[in-house]
Amino acid sequence: MRNLVYLLLLALLVSCSSVKRSEKNLVRGNYDEAIRLSIKKIQNNRGSKKVKEHALLLEEAFEKVVSDDLSRLSLLKKEDPVENSQEIYEIYQSLDNRQNRIKPILPLGNASFDIEDYTDEIVTSINNYSTFLYNRGTEILNRSNDILDAREAYGYFANLKRLQPNYNNVDSLLD
């Protein structure tokens, strides 16, 4: 009986390993969670035997999520880059943030990562998104003097001020 309890506890501990959790997240398509778990384990246990496994999982999850994001960006740019400017900006931000989380733990001997510089794309997408917010807000504001339209325009201008505080006359428009 005692051996059975020990065997069950051992099976439970093995099934809860971080490598298995990362693998499950990878299979389920939760790439960012798999990346987060792998980075955490690599940072905490640099000398562990499982670093190699975590590095390979990290590499695979990174490749898949970047591929998905780049495919989505391509589609958004083909559809309507003006209307999709917010999502385009957010995807570039997530691509850059993900890379910045991985950079401190590099190099990982058995894994390689294609680190790209998204600075130009981020700046362009911020400008496009800001222009979209400004144009949409002024369009709504000029459409009528309805209080509901003014509130909607205020939302666009507030987002613009958060994104780029010194954009044109956003302060006067918010007033």
Side-chain angles (χ1 to χ4, degrees):
M1 182 67 173
R2 179 178 277 175
N3 290 338
L4 181 62
V5 171
Y6 287 132
L7 186 61
L8 287 173
L9 282 174
L10 181 64
L12 179 67
L13 287 175
V14 169
S15 68
C16 293
S17 81
S18 59
V19 173
K20 293 239 186 238
R21 281 189 293 164
S22 293
E23 285 175 348
K24 284 181 185 177
N25 282 316
L26 186 64
V27 169
R28 291 180 182 152
N30 298 334
Y31 304 126
D32 283 320
E33 183 63 17
I35 289 171
R36 188 190 67 76
L37 285 172
S38 295
I39 289 173
K40 182 179 173 186
K41 289 300 178 179
I42 291 170
Q43 285 174 336
N44 292 340
N45 303 315
R46 202 70 164 151
S48 172
K49 295 176 184 176
K50 294 191 177 190
V51 167
K52 185 181 276 189
E53 294 175 49
H54 284 293
L56 292 175
L57 283 169
L58 177 61
E59 179 184 26
E60 186 177 353
F62 182 75
E63 286 175 5
K64 287 184 178 186
V65 75
V66 167
S67 174
D68 287 353
D69 283 351
L70 293 176
S71 296
R72 180 74 181 148
L73 277 171
S74 176
L75 177 69
L76 291 172
K77 288 178 179 179
K78 287 178 183 173
E79 283 182 346
D80 188 0
V82 175
E83 285 292 322
N84 296 325
S85 59
Q86 179 181 4
E87 192 173 354
I88 291 170
Y89 165 69
E90 290 170 352
I91 290 173
Y92 276 124
Q93 280 293 104
S94 68
L95 283 166
D96 193 52
N97 290 339
R98 197 175 296 118
Q99 286 184 161
N100 288 336
R101 285 185 288 161
I102 291 174
K103 283 179 187 177
I105 63 171
L106 293 178
L108 293 172
N110 57 338
S112 63
F113 298 90
D114 293 330
I115 303 296
E116 299 286 329
D117 183 17
Y118 293 110
T119 307
D120 293 337
E121 290 86 354
I122 290 172
V123 169
T124 302
S125 63
I126 285 174
N127 291 335
N128 291 343
Y129 184 39
S130 298
T131 303
F132 168 76
L133 290 172
Y134 183 81
N135 291 340
R136 184 60 58 95
T138 53
E139 175 187 313
I140 292 170
L141 199 58
N142 293 334
R143 185 170 53 201
S144 71
N145 289 334
D146 185 10
I147 189 81
L148 295 175
D149 286 339
R151 286 181 184 166
E152 186 179 356
Y154 183 87
Y156 284 107
F157 294 134
N159 285 339
L160 178 58
K161 183 164 177 71
R162 179 187 50 79
L163 192 64
Q164 287 191 344
N166 298 326
Y167 193 88
N168 285 352
N169 58 346
V170 71
D171 290 326
S172 65
L173 290 171
L174 280 170
D175 290 339

